[in-house]
């Protein structure tokens, strides 16, 4: 027959879990289900009495006086997990029950001695010995009858230490200390005169023992005893209290006789081997007799060694400590029982069920003392824990006693007097903080208790700490609840048998926690799909493989161990420390379940987070578990904030969410608006399976949250987005951290969500909030974009969706995508909607950007586009000296002619007027002339404007400006007018006399418009040397007398253009030429139609420039009708000039005569100096 104990996750996963999960410090794990307690399967009258476990061997004692030996065999379940299968190896009956007993106790105790591979089995009052592990008889001839207890192994020794085992065998009249080794039979060490011992626990040489009535503390080496307190406060026998008078247990003939005479114990019907009949040296009886003799002699020779000091102060203090126990807390009769007088000399009778017992007959009519089973455990090497009470159905008290017999610590309280008590864990001091979550050093007391309920009694284990302040809340581990997942429906329950057994096994059993493995393993989180619609065939092979790998990895997690066994009916279970991870997770689930009916208790949740904040993980399981708990707490708090945004407290909530270190994709997926921003990647999002379950239950509940419509932004959503914004900014700072898995997808999601939030806020702010707030959000938006984002494609989609083209251009700039930048700006300038409206003076922005880039193609494309759109700005792209792309002017001209014809003129103006490149002047003149002639041909209005300008100018009375200044001051806002001014400037010689152009060609073209283009005709006549014609047009065509005078002075050069600085002397005509020109002007002035203007202009000309005129010529030309006064100024000037010339001639003549005399004198002097020289002719 094969019985399966499911240590691992296989079968446990298939069963339905209890809801809510256990939060207590201990849980149950199945060890053996439906043990075959009876051969004929009739188990209704048989129960398990004791259990022990050692290295895969399970030993079960039953009330049928049988020992069942099970051996575990590791197997593999269908899901790949390991299971331990227990098979029944043997069934034996150590001692048959006496036929005279109606209710034999069966197997009372199993004491395994691993160091010597022996087992001591107490069955029906007879102690027998077996070999481990197969339970073959070890000492067939050695049996001890009338045995009441076997145990007392030194708890301070470790099981892996080599050496003999020393045990305490309690028989009817004494305690025997026996040494057992692996090779030889048991040897008696000493006898201790303590009759009727029912329980014991030993630490080194100190043992705490109990009979049916009270406890005592023994020094087993020095054989001394301190009586303690009774087990039941209703006990008529007045036993010793803690700190009572010490007694010497050394064997003397008198004491032996006294004890023998006072020990009127009835013999039981148990069979004992006739030990005295054996003459072999291995007989235990012989060892007992010789050991007693040696012990008596040794004790007399070395004297009495007093270990327990008989100090009155100590006795009073100890007695006072016991007496001061609170009756209200520990039962109504405990205090009174401890105050009873001590009678240590009175013998302790053993309990008896025999109605003929003399003690029963002598009992007075009073409340009968209950038979409470003594419970002794030892939490640490210097203390023992004892239980006392009144009745079995009333509360019990646990009292700690040290090795001096003093009561220490506080007391423990049990809801009912316990059936069994064990201690698990070494305990912590009051000021110790566990360094690890899974630190099992906390000390717990586990008590098997049956407590009443509304309908029936409930069997379970009461759990409380013994190493901290007493009075803390006790935990309850039920063994009768039908929802207990380790209980089969067909198994016997504790309710049927009254109570549950509890024991500490010899060795620890390694166990695993499937719940931990299931919660901590990674699973794919499916955000955008309905999980119920995904069939197994749709799951790709790589995901199936990944799941298997995660399961294999998780199988190493959640490993634990236990030594605490419990049993009810035919089922045996481990009582296992509930891992702190599961406890915290269950506590969080409890808080979450409570929040379904009310608000989430964030304070309780923060207590959990604060408790684990400074804990350092000591194992892989703990590291992952802490991470899981933090993430779960963060997710719950964030989901609570979504539905209760009014509770957001900026930095506090931000730290709470950040502390969990949850994958931000999980957080953001909870916001419907941001869910499309989550980048799952090709492999999806993998998180703890426990978080996946949480997400599956939490996401539907978020429908109660706020409406994330783009139409409006409430204050709650704004606060939530501010929180998320700070959270995402912190995550952005983690870029480059190697510890972040799926870094690409994570930061792509972070950037996309952050950009989405900023765009969402900015569009709402721009429609109604203050400018300052808008600027702040916009600054953050620009900062995110300019520093680069990891979600480029998603960012482009978002910016297009929100119609933020300028921000999109900044995104392209961050990636140095110049073509995209310019294309986006072009869309804005072409009229496409840009919600932000940030691109101010966009054409200049394009110009500045084109100057900075080095891409020739882009400069040509967008430079000509800009020149076509705005020639004045577009041409600057090609003319700026700081431009990184330099194009030769002829290439620019050709490019503009091809793509932006209207900008050619502007570019040529720059070359001619700005750069003084006169080789392009003819082209520019041609462009000007084309534009002017085109307007004159097509527009009569333009011709009328020109005619009116001439008439208006002529109508002005002197003094009046020049015609050029007149048309500038009265310019109209028309391109052709500007072109004509520039045309006149070029024709008038603004670039010097050296500049030449094709005059005949221009004259030929303007000939049809000669009456409209008078200034142009004047300039061209002057260029051809037709000065008289030019002067005539200035005088009669324009009436610009001032310009006519300048024409005579300058010879027709540099007119109709602004002059600044000195005139080039080479361009100025000679005085004779000037006189000739003034002569022409004088003649034209005399032909002015208006007699007044004629006289005024002629008189002024003669007065100002009379030295250029011959007096005779002027007098001949002046009409005889003119008065001399009109030319008096000229005549006076002429006469003065003549007198001046005459005087100058006389002076010159005189100076010449003096010079002649001086030359003659110099000649005479030279002649006299050289003398005469006679030359004779040669013959």
């Amino acid at each position: 027959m094969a019985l399966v104990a499911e240590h691992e996750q296989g079968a446990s996963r298939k069963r339905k879990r209890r809801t809510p999960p256990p939060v207590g410090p201990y849980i149950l794990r199945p060890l053996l289900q439906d043990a075959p307690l009876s051969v004929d399967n009739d188990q209704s009258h048989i129960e398990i009495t004791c259990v022990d476990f050692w290295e895969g061997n399970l030993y079960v004692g039953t009330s049928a006086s049988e020992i069942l030996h099970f051996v575990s065999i590791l197997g593999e379940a269908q899901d790949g997990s390991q299971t331990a299968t227990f098979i029944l190896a043997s069934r034996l009956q150590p001692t048959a029950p006496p036929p005279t007993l109606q209710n034999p106790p069966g197997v009372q105790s199993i004491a395994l001695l691993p160091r010597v591979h022996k087992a001591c089995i107490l069955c029906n009052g007879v102690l027998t010995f077996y070999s481990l592990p197969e339970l073959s008889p070890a000492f067939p001839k050695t049996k001890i009858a009338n045995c009441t207890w076997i145990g007392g192994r030194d708890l301070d020794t470790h099981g892996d230490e080599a050496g003999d085992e020393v045990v305490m065998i309690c028989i009817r009249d004494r305690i025997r200390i026996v040494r057992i080794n692996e090779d030889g039979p048991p040897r008696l060490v000493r006898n201790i005169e303590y009759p009727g011992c029912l329980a014991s626990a030993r630490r080194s040489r100190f043992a705490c023992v109990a009979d049916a009535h009270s406890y005592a503390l023994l020094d087993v080496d020095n054989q001394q005893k301190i009586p303690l307190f009774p087990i039941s406060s209703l006990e008529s026998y007045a036993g010793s209290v803690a700190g009572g008078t010490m007694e010497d247990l050394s064997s003397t003939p008198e004491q032996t006789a006294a004890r023998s005479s006072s020990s009127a114990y009835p013999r039981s019907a148990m069979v004992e081997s006739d030990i005295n009949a054996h003459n072999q040296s291995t007989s235990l009886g012989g060892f007992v007799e010789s050991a007693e003799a040696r012990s008596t002699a040794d004790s007399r020779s070395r004297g009495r060694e007093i270990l327990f000091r008989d100090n009155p102060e100590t006795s009073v203090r100890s007695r006072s400590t016991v007496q001061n126990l609170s009756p209200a807390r520990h039962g109504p009769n405990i205090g009174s029982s401890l105050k009873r007088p001590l009678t240590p000399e009175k013998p302790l009778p053993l309990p008896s069920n025999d109605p003929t017992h003399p003690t029963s007959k002598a009992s007075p009519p009073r409340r009968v003392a209950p038979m409470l089973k003594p419970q002794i455990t030892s939490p640490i090497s210097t203390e023992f824990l004892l239980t006392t009470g009144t009745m079995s159905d009333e509360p019990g008290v646990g009292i700690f006693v040290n090795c001096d017999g003093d009561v220490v610590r506080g007391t423990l309280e049990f809801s009912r007097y316990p059936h069994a008590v064990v201690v698990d864990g070494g305990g912590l001091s009051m000021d110790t903080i566990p360094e690890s979550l899974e630190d099992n050093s906390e000390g717990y007391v586990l008590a098997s208790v049956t407590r009443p309920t509304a309908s029936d009694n409930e069997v379970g284990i009461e759990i409380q700490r013994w190493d901290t302040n007493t009075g803390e809340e006790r935990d309850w581990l039920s063994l009768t609840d039908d929802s207990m997942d380790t209980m089969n429906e067909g198994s016997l329950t504790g309710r049927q048998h009254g109570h549950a057994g509890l024991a500490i096994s010899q060795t620890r059993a390694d166990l695993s926690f499937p719940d931990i493995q299931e919660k901590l393993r990674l699973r794919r989180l499916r955000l955008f799909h309905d999980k119920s619609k995904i069939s197994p065939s749709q799951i790709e092979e790589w995901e199936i493989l990944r799941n298997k790998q995660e399961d294999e990895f998780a199988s190493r997690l959640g490993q634990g161990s236990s030594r605490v066994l419990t049993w009810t009916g035919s089922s045996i279970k481990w009582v296992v420390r509930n891992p702190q991870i599961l406890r915290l997770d269950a506590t969080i689930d409890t808080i979450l379940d409570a929040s379904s009916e009310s608000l989430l208790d964030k304070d309780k949740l923060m207590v959990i987070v604060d408790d684990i904040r400074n804990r350092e993980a000591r194992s892989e399981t703990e590291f992952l578990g802490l991470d899981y708990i933090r993430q779960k707490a963060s997710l719950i708090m964030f989901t609570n904030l979504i539905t209760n945004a009014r509770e957001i407290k900026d930095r506090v909530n931000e730290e709470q969410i950040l502390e969990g270190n949850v994958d931000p994709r999980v957080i953001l997926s909870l916001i419907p608006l941001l869910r499309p921003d989550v980048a799952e990647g090709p492999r999806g999002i993998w998180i703890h399976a426990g978080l996946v379950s949480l997400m599956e239950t939490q996401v539907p509940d978020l429908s109660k949250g706020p409406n994330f419509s783009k139409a409006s932004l409430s204050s709650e959503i704004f606060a939530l987005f501010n929180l998320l914004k700070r959270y995402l900014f912190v995550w952005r700072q983690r870029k480059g951290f190697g510890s972040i898995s799926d870094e690409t997808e994570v930061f792509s999601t972070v950037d996309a969500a952050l950009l989405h939030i900023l765009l969402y806020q900015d569009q709402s702010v721009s429609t109604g909030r203050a400018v300052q707030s808008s600027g702040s959000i916009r600054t953050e938006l620009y900062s995110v974009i300019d520093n680069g984002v990891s979600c480029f494609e998603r960012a482009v989609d978002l910016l297009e969706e929100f119609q933020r083209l300028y921000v999109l251009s900044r995104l392209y700039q961050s990636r140095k995508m110049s073509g995209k930048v310019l294309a986006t700006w072009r869309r804005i300038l072409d009229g496409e909607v840009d919600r932000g409206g940030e691109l101010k003076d966009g054409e200049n922005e394009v110009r500045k950007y084109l100057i900075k880039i080095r891409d020739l193609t882009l400069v040509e494309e967008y430079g000509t586009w800009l020149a076509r759109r705005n020639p004045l700005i577009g041409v600057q792209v090609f003319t700026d000296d700081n431009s990184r792309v330099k194009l030769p002017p002829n290439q620019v001209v050709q490019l503009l002619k091809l793509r932006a014809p209207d900008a050619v003129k502007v570019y040529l103006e720059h070359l001619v007027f700005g750069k003084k490149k006169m080789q392009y002047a003819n082209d520019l003149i041609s462009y000007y002339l084309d534009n002017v002639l085109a307007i004159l041909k097509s527009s009569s209005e333009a011709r009328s404007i020109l005619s009116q300008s001439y008439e208006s100018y002529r109508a002005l009375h002197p003094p009046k400006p020049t015609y050029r200044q007149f048309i500038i001051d009265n310019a109209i806002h028309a391109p052709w007018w500007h072109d004509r001014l520039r045309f006149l400037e070029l024709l008038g010689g603004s670039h010097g006399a050296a500049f030449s152009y094709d005059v005949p060609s221009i004259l030929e073209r303007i000939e049809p418009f000669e009456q409209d283009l008078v200034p142009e005709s004047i300039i061209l006549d002057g260029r051809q040397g037709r000065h008289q014609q030019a002067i005539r047009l200035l005088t009669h065509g324009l009436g610009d007398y001032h310009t006519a005078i300048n024409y005579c002075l300058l010879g027709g050069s540099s007119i109709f253009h602004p002059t600044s600085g000195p005139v080039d002397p080479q361009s100025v005509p000679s005085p004779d030429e000037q006189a000739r020109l003034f002569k022409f002007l004088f003649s034209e002035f005399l032909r002015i139609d208006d007699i007044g203007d004629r006289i005024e202009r002629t008189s002024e000309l003669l007065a100002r420039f009379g030295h250029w005129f011959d007096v005779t010529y002027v007098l001949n030309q002046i009409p005889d009708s003119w008065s001399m006064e009109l030319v008096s100024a000229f005549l006076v000037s002429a006469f003065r000039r003549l007198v001046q010339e005459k005087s100058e001639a006389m002076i010159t003549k005189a100076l010449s005569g003096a010079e002649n005399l001086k030359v003659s004198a110099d000649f005479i002097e030279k002649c006299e100096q050289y003398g005469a020289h006679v030359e004779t002719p040669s013959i």
Side-chain angles (χ1 to χ4, degrees), residues 199 386 414 529 587 617 647 665 677 714 730 736 928 945 957 985:
L386 315 176
F414 305 102
H529 307 286
T587 303
E647 300 182 5
R665 295 178 293 175
D677 301 323
S714 65
V730 174
Y928 287 151
I945 290 174
H957 296 284
E985 186 176 346

Side-chain angles (χ1 to χ4, degrees), residues 315-383:
S315 300
V316 173
R317 182 183 70 250
S318 302
R319 189 177 298 109
S320 175
T321 303
V322 177
Q323 291 174 354
N324 290 334
L325 296 175
S326 172
R329 179 177 177 182
H330 301 294
N333 298 317
I334 290 181
S336 61
S337 67
L338 296 177
K339 295 180 182 179
R340 294 173 182 173
L342 305 178
T343 57
E345 294 82 5
K346 183 178 179 179
L348 303 177
L350 287 175
S352 174
N353 297 326
D354 189 355
T356 63
H357 193 274
T359 304
S360 301
K361 296 178 181 180
S363 299
R366 60 179 178 81
R367 186 177 181 183
V368 179
M371 293 297 296
L372 299 180
K373 181 180 179 181
Q375 304 292 344
I376 304 174
T377 58
S378 178
I380 57 177
S381 61
T382 59
E383 296 179 13

Side-chain angles (χ1 to χ4, degrees), residues 691-735:
L691 299 181
V692 173
S693 300
L694 178 66
M695 290 288 292
E696 292 173 351
T697 57
Q698 287 298 308
V699 172
D701 294 340
L702 296 180
S703 58
K704 305 175 183 178
N707 180 21
F708 293 94
S709 173
K710 293 184 179 180
S712 62
L713 184 62
S714 65
S715 59
E716 295 181 1
I717 299 178
F718 198 86
L720 178 62
F721 278 178
N722 278 337
L723 172 65
L724 279 174
K725 185 170 62 178
R726 291 189 299 272
Y727 168 76
L728 295 173
F729 270 123
V730 174
W731 261 96
R732 272 175 63 89
Q733 297 174 3
R734 300 179 181 179
K735 285 188 178 182

Side-chain angles (χ1 to χ4, degrees), residues 1046-1063:
N1046 286 338
Y1047 187 93
C1048 296
L1049 293 173
L1050 301 177
S1053 63
S1054 302
I1055 63 173
F1056 292 108
H1057 68 86
T1059 56
S1060 60
V1063 179

Side-chain angles (χ1 to χ4, degrees), residues 573-588:
K573 311 166 202 56
W574 289 110
V575 182
V576 190
R577 285 278 183 103
N578 192 5
Q580 193 71 10
I581 300 301
L582 294 181
R583 296 181 63 186
L584 293 174
D585 186 64
T587 303
I588 293 176

Side-chain angles (χ1 to χ4, degrees), residues 933 937 1002-1012:
L933 293 180
K937 289 178 181 179
I1002 296 175
L1003 280 174
E1004 182 181 355
R1005 295 186 62 186
I1006 68 173
E1007 184 177 1
F1009 305 97
E1010 187 176 8
Q1011 299 300 322
D1012 299 315

Side-chain angles (χ1 to χ4, degrees), residues 732 735 751-752 755 759 781-801 804-822 824-825 828 838 849:
R732 272 175 63 89
K735 285 188 178 182
D751 288 346
L755 179 60
L759 289 172
L781 176 61
Y782 290 165
S783 175
V784 171
I785 291 296
D786 295 344
N787 292 328
V789 294
S790 302
C791 58
F792 180 75
E793 294 181 356
R794 176 58 181 166
V796 171
D797 294 339
L798 284 172
L799 294 171
E800 292 282 4
E801 178 184 350
R804 301 301 297 273
L805 298 183
Y806 177 73
V807 183
L808 176 60
S809 70
R810 296 185 72 128
L811 174 64
Y812 290 138
Q813 287 186 62
S814 67
R815 294 291 185 99
K816 300 187 182 303
M817 302 173 67
S818 302
K820 293 289 187 179
V821 174
L822 293 168
T824 306
W825 284 350
I828 298 174
E838 300 101 319
Y849 192 76

